[in-house]
Amino acid sequence: MRDAVTSLIKNYDVAGRYFDRIAIDNLKGYFESGTARIKAAAAINSNAAGIVKQAGSALFDEQPELIRPGGNAYTTRRYAACLRDMDYYLRYATYALVAGSMDVLDERVLQGLRETYNSLGVPIGPTVRGIQIMKDIVKEQAASSGVTNTSFIDEPFDYMTRELSEKDI
């Protein structure tokens, strides 16, 4: 797993180049957003269970067929598995927020996940929607904790939803 700094250094090292203006600006932006990233992570960490619970409730209110008989979150075991997965996505989104890099999501979450869900009959649409609901909740909580520009919070959540979404072949 790499962060934004080590990824940038690796790319320039492989190319045998010194940092150019773009690299310096990327580093500057990463370090300038450091405090906001930490505040957002602290907001998530202090209420992760509440975020997952609130997102799960919102998802099941929007898509009640999921918790009805025959639905993918029907039965206590499946319902708990859904919330467990949401917690997993939230935790790794937090890591990606702090790192300023999506590498951890590729390495630890997304690799083969869509194929696994498809083989198990887990619907991707509600998973994607649940991740987006969590993003909105996290942005609200980060703003409440004093983060003025919450746009960086979009990146890991949107990255996961893009990678999980069905793709035309």
Side-chain angles (χ1 to χ4, degrees), residues 3-169:
D3 61 21
V5 176
T6 56
S7 294
L8 184 79
I9 291 170
K10 181 181 182 223
N11 291 340
Y12 276 76
D13 183 44
V14 167
R17 296 174 43 211
Y18 286 97
F19 288 151
D20 55 17
R21 188 83 210 132
I22 294 169
I24 299 298
D25 288 345
N26 285 341
L27 288 170
K28 184 179 174 186
Y30 174 73
F31 288 118
E32 286 175 349
S33 67
T35 302
R37 291 174 188 281
I38 297 302
K39 280 185 179 180
I44 293 168
N45 292 345
S46 68
N47 193 27
I51 293 167
V52 170
K53 183 178 178 183
Q54 185 180 350
S57 293
L59 176 65
F60 298 134
D61 285 347
E62 283 181 15
Q63 300 182 30
E65 67 278 2
L66 292 170
I67 55 175
R68 291 186 184 135
N72 203 272
Y74 179 69
T75 74
T76 304
R77 183 183 61 78
R78 285 181 168 184
Y79 184 89
C82 179
L83 295 181
R84 177 208 60 215
D85 287 356
M86 290 177 79
D87 183 65
Y88 185 68
Y89 303 138
L90 181 62
R91 181 166 48 96
Y92 278 98
T94 306
Y95 298 161
L97 276 174
V98 173
S101 170
M102 302 304 109
D103 286 344
V104 68
L105 298 176
D106 288 329
E107 293 171 10
R108 307 286 169 92
V109 178
L110 297 169
Q111 194 172 52
L113 185 63
R114 184 175 357 105
E115 292 79 8
T116 300
Y117 273 12
N118 285 335
S119 72
L120 295 172
V122 175
I124 300 292
T127 302
V128 166
R129 182 63 189 130
I131 291 169
Q132 288 296 300
I133 292 169
M134 285 193 298
K135 175 183 79 172
D136 295 339
I137 294 167
V138 167
K139 288 179 79 163
E140 289 171 14
Q141 290 194 1
S144 295
S145 70
V147 177
T148 54
N149 180 359
T150 60
S151 63
F152 68 92
I153 293 171
D154 294 342
E155 189 175 11
F157 293 96
D158 290 349
Y159 186 82
M160 282 189 285
T161 59
R162 243 186 344 268
E163 293 300 310
L164 281 174
S165 294
E166 296 298 323
K167 298 182 182 202
D168 295 326
I169 297 177

